[in-house]
Amino acid sequence: MKAFICHHVDLKASVYATRLVSSLVLLQTPSLPSARPQNQSNFFTDPYQFLNESTKSQSYTFQETKIMHAHVLKTKSLHSSIELSNFLLRGYCKASGFDYALKVFDTMPQPDISSWNLVITSQNQSSRYADSWGNFCRMHSLGFYPNEFTYGNAISACIALNFVNGGKLLYSLALKHGFSLDGYVRSGMIDLFLKCYSFNDALRVFSDESCGNVVCWNAIISGAIKHNKDYVGLNLFQQMCRGSPLPNRFTFPSVFGACAKLQELELGRGVHGLVVKYGEEDDLVVGTAIVDFYAKCGQVDEAINKFSQMPVRNVVSWTAVIAGFVQKGEFKSALRLFKEMIILNQEINNYTVTSVLSACANPLLFRESFQIHCWIYKTGFYWDPTIKNSLINLYSKLGAIELSEQVFKDMKDGMNTSTYSTMVTAFCQDGKLKKAFSLLKKMFLEGLTPDLSCIPSLLSIINLLELGEQIHCYTLKTGGLFNHLVGCSLFTMYSKCGCLNESYELFKQMPDKDHVSWASMISGFTEHGYAYHATELFREMLFAIDVIVDETTLTAVLAACSSLRFLKAGKEIHGFFSKREDNTYVYGGSSLVNMYSRCGDLKSANRVFDMMPCKDQLSCSSLISGYAQNGYIKESLHLFVDLISSGLEVDSFTISSVLGAVGDLNNSDVGKGIRIGIQLHAHIQKLGFESTASVGSSLVMMYSKYGNLDSCLKVFNQIIKPDLISWTAMINCYAQHGKGLEALKMFEHMKKSGTEPDSVTFVGVLTACSHSGLVKEGYSYLKSMVKDYRIEPGKRHYACMVDVIARSGSLKEAERFIRNMPIEPDSLVWGTLLAACKVHGDMEIGKIAAEKFIELNPSEDGGYVSLSNICADVGQWEQVLKIRNEMKDTGVVKEPGWSYI
């Protein structure tokens, strides 16, 4: 600066300066301010005076800066003043001449902290973040002490580079030199940690000292909400409102977003009140956030009210209201508002269009879907991948998968991962597993990686363990296993395929389990015969943190109680949920009716049923089934008649329950049961349910109970796609009526159809073998269970096999078979052998079988009676008398026989 003060301009320099002023004036455009030549003239006549005229903040074009730079170089005054060099640096930075700024900096003999700040800033502005960080390190190594601007710029470079360790080093230096509380430094560090997904570190920086900088508060609140720490963000907002600084228009949008996500309606209304209090209601961004909040909370009327009061509306506010209508199910209102946007020539973006397409996912709006599709094509939105994906999804939901495929094929060269994944999901929703996997293979061949969004859809329709394991391997390889939805779908898939251990291991490995995950695992245990484990898991769930116990969980755990007939536990769970809800609403009514019905407490089931404001099919079916299973056949039928009379739709489950009740009438009134069954069959044909597997199976079992095999076969042949239950019912029908060969033929047809048998099917097959005396075939089927289908035989299977062997007269072989069984034989197995001994009059083996039967079942009269009859048949009356006395001593009383006649 001294050099600048002492510098005298000679005559030559003055003349030269005059020439430059003239050339500068010629270069200026008419748009330049009139003051510009005056300032530039001052620069050339007296640079010191020029720098003190507050023109350093003025912007110059790149060409003007170069002219001034040229003058300084000609006069050799560049190195005489650091202020002059910094002025040129600043000029080049403002004119985006970053390369020239660096050249000026490199020629500076002794740059100061302002020079370093300017060059670091210029490198940040030109996206040379690594060079910016390098210059900071170089500056620090040369002994310069950074100021708040230096730290701020260096932190900006670290943010761009995701260089967390560098940011931590900077913050350490800032702490050491007393700049850590500066708002620029602090907000930069918070931003760095948030962008690098280190929310806890960001919160630690914010909490080091009390902060009065609104930028820091806004950064940490917004960061908490973006990192799904919504309650933390709202808590910070409440703290902000109690102190200083007060929230501003940049604070409120994030807070409204958190309130919408958490459905905190009352809290959001309170924030709305603060917006009015602080006078920010007319701000476009804040107003749009308010509209979006009310819409997402289902308060569409309030959203429209706020929307109508907005002085200026943008595409976001219009889209928020349309999305609110869609969420509430008012699809026609959404379409009307969209039509109004078109008429008013409002801006429409792809979010608006996708919201409208969501509204069209209703069979009643199929015509409107085509119209909007045409508008999309006409306006050019059709080629947007997001819109294409929405159209594919729309037609899939409408059941027009062919149209989804057509939209997909129209993509041609514009195929991307998202579109492929959407089409895979559409195939899955339509149940087309083969097409879904074919498309997935095509993706891999083209080098595309599927979105995680389509993996849960794939897993939901996979019923082959091998395919499921392949998807599992893929998720492990790509890291998708840590995705919550993928993890939940994987363990559900394993549960569905009968691999409960693998399912539970995956469940335990999930880092964050929500209520859906818990409910899915509880259901998995129940469905595979581990209902007790399901109740234990529910108890564990109650102690978990941040888990919502909702109706989904209630349904799952009550199903477990129903399976175990745990009436007491079911009542406790009912009480637990009743305390959480308003007394005017029966929470989980259908599940409770089902639980009470299956546990035999029909009085409680009826009471819950009467309290339900809306009776549904499930609750009616559960009560009908409960009455039937507990012997109240007439009540069951009366309730079914009431169901039809009330106008409620009858589903296949309800009809199956009624058919089961009619089948049980054979113990009391065979003729009446047959008449009712025929009437029901006629009603089923009228409704069109006779071709469904569940109703068809129930009809087969009903006619089987009445011995009408011709009707059984006729009904079975009407089923379009017989499932495992249908095939098993028909096999058991033949087996129980002595048609063993027909049963085995039906079993072979079943295998050819691709339906795999289960343990119940094999009970029917082995029963057919016993009724037809097919010993060799019986052994073959028993081995096939383990070898071909990995089904471990149970006691019922072994009892059937004993019957197969013993009926053929090979009683000793049957006894050896029992003693060589891998499981401990029970009373059913020994009782089967005992019955065969009575038929064949084998006293010796019969006595052994009777003793074993009595030992396992001492209170049962069957063993004593059978042994007594065997002795009577061979004339051992003394032994008969001895057995009768034993029965009298042990208190066993023979039940009297009865007959229909």
Side-chain angles (χ1 to χ4, degrees):
M1 184 61 72
K2 288 180 180 178
F4 232 97
I5 295 170
C6 299
H7 182 66
H8 297 284
V9 182
D10 58 13
L11 184 60
K12 274 189 178 181
S14 299
V15 173
Y16 184 68
T18 306
R19 285 180 186 173
L20 279 176
V21 170
S22 302
S23 61
L24 184 61
V25 170
L26 291 172
L27 283 170
Q28 289 177 337
T29 62
S31 62
L32 288 172
S34 58
R36 180 68 58 82
Q38 180 67 36
N39 288 339
Q40 288 168 346
S41 179
N42 289 345
F43 176 81
F44 297 124
T45 56
D46 191 348
Y48 177 75
Q49 182 186 354
F50 180 81
L51 292 176
N52 282 286
E53 286 179 350
S54 303
T55 57
K56 288 184 285 186
S57 61
Q58 191 171 343
S59 296
Y60 291 90
T61 66
F62 177 66
Q63 189 66 25
E64 290 167 349
T65 308
K66 281 183 70 177
I67 291 171
M68 288 185 279
H69 189 183
H71 171 71
V72 171
L73 288 173
K74 293 271 186 180
T75 58
K76 299 181 181 180
S77 58
L78 178 62
H79 303 310
S80 61
S81 172
I82 191 71
E83 283 85 354
L84 188 57
S85 297
N86 287 344
F87 170 77
L88 289 174
L89 269 177
R90 192 177 298 106
Y92 278 126
C93 288
K94 287 183 178 181
S96 301
F98 303 118
D99 290 333
Y100 282 84
L102 290 174
K103 287 177 182 177
V104 171
F105 179 79
D106 289 338
T107 60
M108 292 174 69
Q110 291 182 331
D112 63 1
I113 189 65
S114 296
S115 311
W116 286 100
N117 285 347
L118 285 167
V119 77
I120 292 171
T121 301
S122 72
Q123 287 172 327
N124 278 350
Q125 290 173 343
S126 59
S127 301
R128 300 176 184 178
Y129 302 109
D131 293 337
S132 174
W133 172 252
N135 272 322
F136 174 82
C137 296
R138 181 177 156 210
M139 180 199 79
H140 188 260
S141 66
L142 292 173
F144 286 90
Y145 287 99
N147 60 20
E148 64 271 25
F149 301 109
T150 323
Y151 284 119
N153 285 318
I155 289 171
S156 297
C158 291
I159 291 171
L161 296 168
N162 286 332
F163 187 21
V164 181
N165 289 335
K168 288 180 178 179
L169 288 170
L170 282 170
Y171 193 61
S172 300
L173 283 173
L175 278 169
K176 181 180 178 181
H177 296 128
F179 289 105
S180 61
L181 299 182
D182 179 79
Y184 192 28
V185 175
R186 205 171 185 183
S187 61
M189 279 306 300
I190 291 170
D191 193 29
L192 171 63
F193 283 129
L194 289 174
K195 286 184 177 176
C196 295
Y197 303 101
S198 301
F199 174 73
N200 290 334
D201 290 329
L203 189 60
R204 195 176 296 114
V205 169
F206 176 79
S207 305
D208 279 345
E209 293 285 343
S210 60
C211 182
N213 188 302
V214 70
V215 176
C216 294
W217 279 95
N218 288 344
I220 195 66
I221 291 170
S222 174
I225 293 165
K226 286 178 181 176
H227 285 75
N228 295 318
K229 309 283 185 183
D230 301 290
Y231 282 113
V232 175
L234 292 177
N235 185 43
L236 286 166
F237 174 72
Q238 289 173 338
Q239 292 177 37
M240 185 183 187
C241 292
R242 289 195 292 267
S244 178
L246 293 173
N248 61 13
R249 60 193 178 91
F250 299 104
T251 317
F252 294 116
S254 297
V255 176
F256 279 119
C259 292
K261 196 190 301 183
L262 299 171
Q263 296 292 292
E264 289 282 357
L265 180 60
E266 293 306 316
L267 180 59
R269 282 176 173 153
V271 178
H272 189 179
L274 287 175
V275 169
V276 175
K277 179 180 177 182
Y278 296 139
E280 302 286 0
E281 194 174 17
D282 291 335
D283 182 81
L284 178 60
V285 178
V286 175
T288 301
I290 295 171
V291 172
D292 185 60
F293 157 70
Y294 283 123
K296 286 180 178 176
C297 287
Q299 305 299 309
V300 181
D301 292 340
E302 292 187 56
I304 293 173
N305 184 40
K306 171 59 187 170
F307 178 75
S308 62
Q309 294 174 6
M310 290 177 68
V312 179
R313 303 164 192 163
N314 62 6
V315 63
V316 180
S317 50
W318 281 90
T319 305
V321 178
I322 290 172
F325 278 130
V326 174
Q327 183 181 342
K328 198 177 178 182
E330 297 181 12
F331 304 121
K332 290 188 177 180
S333 299
L335 294 178
R336 276 198 296 269
L337 196 61
F338 179 66
K339 183 180 178 181
E340 187 178 343
M341 284 187 77
I342 297 172
I343 293 170
L344 295 174
N345 201 25
Q346 290 286 328
E347 180 191 354
I348 296 173
N349 61 19
N350 55 353
Y351 296 106
T352 318
V353 179
T354 52
S355 297
V356 171
L357 289 174
S358 299
C360 293
N362 185 317
L364 298 176
L365 298 174
F366 204 92
R367 181 168 167 269
E368 286 81 355
S369 301
F370 275 117
Q371 291 174 343
I372 292 173
H373 189 165
C374 294
W375 179 88
I376 289 170
Y377 194 89
K378 181 181 177 182
T379 53
F381 278 107
Y382 188 70
W383 307 111
D384 185 294
T386 310
I387 307 298
K388 286 266 189 175
N389 296 347
S390 296
L391 280 168
I392 291 169
N393 190 44
L394 166 67
Y395 288 128
S396 171
K397 288 181 178 177
L398 292 173
I401 193 68
E402 299 82 9
L403 293 175
S404 294
E405 287 188 83
Q406 186 59 51
V407 173
F408 176 75
K409 289 173 183 176
D410 283 347
M411 292 294 285
K412 296 179 183 177
D413 298 332
M415 291 293 186
N416 55 37
T417 298
S418 175
T419 308
Y420 266 107
S421 301
T422 304
M423 196 64 232
V424 169
T425 303
F427 280 135
C428 292
Q429 289 172 349
D430 201 52
K432 299 185 184 303
L433 180 61
K434 189 175 179 180
K435 281 195 170 184
F437 260 91
S438 177
L439 195 58
L440 200 64
K441 288 177 184 176
K442 187 178 178 183
M443 284 187 74
F444 288 129
L445 290 173
E446 293 185 9
L448 297 174
T449 303
D451 284 348
L452 288 178
S453 59
C454 71
I455 301 298
S457 300
L458 270 172
L459 291 168
S460 68
I461 62 170
I462 287 175
N463 51 13
L464 295 174
L465 183 61
E466 185 180 353
L467 286 179
E469 287 174 337
Q470 289 177 18
I471 297 294
H472 187 181
C473 291
Y474 172 75
T475 57
L476 280 171
K477 182 180 177 182
T478 57
L481 189 61
F482 297 102
N483 180 277
H484 182 267
L485 282 175
V486 173
C488 187
S489 301
L490 265 174
F491 78 70
T492 304
M493 181 275 298
Y494 276 114
S495 174
K496 188 169 60 177
C497 292
C499 301
L500 211 58
N501 289 332
E502 289 84 349
S503 176
Y504 187 51
E505 283 302 316
L506 273 171
F507 173 77
K508 289 193 294 185
Q509 290 171 19
M510 288 181 67
D512 298 313
K513 306 177 185 72
D514 65 355
H515 63 286
V516 178
S517 308
W518 286 93
S520 298
M521 194 67 243
I522 290 169
S523 297
F525 275 131
T526 305
E527 288 167 8
H528 290 85
Y530 295 91
Y532 180 75
H533 289 76
T535 58
E536 289 297 305
L537 193 62
F538 174 71
R539 189 167 290 137
E540 184 183 336
M541 177 185 177
L542 295 178
F543 291 100
I545 301 171
D546 296 334
V547 176
I548 303 169
V549 184
D550 64 352
E551 190 169 358
T552 307
T553 319
L554 173 67
T555 302
V557 72
L558 285 178
C561 294
S562 302
S563 179
L564 294 168
R565 305 296 191 268
F566 274 6
L567 179 59
K568 183 181 177 184
K571 284 184 175 180
E572 289 173 353
I573 292 167
H574 185 184
F576 170 77
F577 279 94
S578 294
K579 289 179 181 178
R580 297 163 53 89
E581 292 295 319
D582 192 295
N583 290 331
T584 60
Y585 176 68
V586 181
Y587 192 76
S590 300
S591 303
L592 286 166
V593 170
N594 182 55
M595 184 274 295
Y596 282 122
S597 298
R598 294 191 65 184
C599 291
D601 189 353
L602 294 174
K603 187 176 180 181
S604 297
N606 209 17
R607 188 182 300 119
V608 173
F609 182 78
D610 290 339
M611 290 172 64
M612 288 178 67
C614 297
K615 275 74 173 174
D616 57 10
Q617 295 169 347
L618 180 58
S619 56
C620 291
S621 300
S622 298
L623 198 55
I624 289 168
S625 178
Y627 278 131
Q629 290 171 3
N630 288 277
Y632 297 98
I633 311 300
K634 291 180 180 179
E635 288 81 354
S636 175
L637 293 172
H638 284 313
L639 185 60
F640 178 70
V641 173
D642 291 341
L643 175 64
I644 297 172
S645 302
S646 63
L648 276 175
E649 289 186 13
V650 180
D651 63 356
S652 57
F653 181 77
T654 311
I655 291 173
S656 298
S657 301
V658 177
L659 288 171
V662 172
D664 290 337
L665 279 170
N666 63 348
N667 290 336
S668 54
D669 192 341
V670 178
K672 185 178 180 181
I674 293 172
R675 287 195 302 274
I676 295 174
I678 292 171
Q679 289 174 350
L680 274 172
H681 192 174
H683 187 68
I684 289 166
Q685 286 181 318
K686 182 180 177 182
L687 295 173
F689 283 132
E690 74 277 1
S691 59
T692 61
S694 58
V695 174
S697 303
S698 300
L699 281 168
V700 168
M701 287 186 276
M702 182 196 73
Y703 281 121
S704 175
K705 287 180 180 179
Y706 296 130
N708 192 340
L709 298 186
D710 291 338
S711 295
C712 287
L713 184 59
K714 191 180 294 183
V715 168
F716 178 80
N717 289 332
Q718 288 179 337
I719 301 174
I720 296 174
K721 291 183 180 179
D723 60 3
L724 176 61
I725 297 173
S726 309
W727 286 103
T728 303
M730 200 62 217
I731 290 167
N732 285 331
C733 171
Y734 280 130
Q736 289 166 3
H737 291 85
K739 303 284 186 179
L741 292 174
E742 286 84 348
L744 297 181
K745 285 179 183 177
M746 188 63 66
F747 179 68
E748 294 303 320
H749 287 313
M750 171 185 164
K751 290 196 294 184
K752 287 178 182 177
S753 73
T755 306
E756 286 198 1
D758 64 356
S759 59
V760 179
T761 313
F762 275 105
V763 170
V765 170
L766 293 173
T767 302
C769 291
S770 68
H771 287 177
S772 301
L774 303 172
V775 180
K776 185 178 178 181
E777 287 79 358
Y779 275 116
S780 175
Y781 284 122
L782 190 68
K783 289 178 183 177
S784 176
M785 281 181 67
V786 181
K787 182 180 177 183
D788 299 330
Y789 303 103
R790 292 182 293 179
I791 302 172
E792 288 297 322
K795 292 174 181 177
R796 288 191 65 190
H797 300 102
Y798 286 118
C800 288
M801 197 61 216
V802 169
D803 193 41
V804 171
I805 301 166
R807 277 185 184 236
S808 67
S810 305
L811 298 175
K812 288 186 178 179
E813 184 184 344
E815 185 193 0
R816 278 198 305 272
F817 179 85
I818 292 172
R819 296 192 185 279
N820 292 328
M821 279 170 54
I823 61 174
E824 192 69 27
D826 63 352
S827 59
L828 176 63
V829 174
W830 286 111
T832 304
L833 181 59
L834 179 58
C837 290
K838 182 180 182 300
V839 172
H840 293 283
D842 193 320
M843 173 72 180
E844 182 182 350
I845 298 176
K847 188 174 181 182
I848 295 169
E851 287 173 354
K852 289 288 186 180
F853 182 87
I854 292 167
E855 180 185 334
L856 292 168
N857 227 336
S859 61
E860 181 69 39
D861 66 332
Y864 295 101
V865 173
S866 295
L867 184 58
S868 173
N869 291 339
I870 291 171
C871 293
D873 289 341
V874 297
Q876 295 185 4
W877 299 106
E878 292 180 2
Q879 194 68 23
V880 172
L881 186 59
K882 183 181 178 183
I883 293 168
R884 298 288 182 180
N885 289 332
E886 284 180 12
M887 287 180 67
K888 191 181 293 185
D889 293 340
T890 55
V892 178
V893 180
K894 179 183 178 298
E895 288 188 9
W898 61 277
S899 172
Y900 282 117
I901 301 171

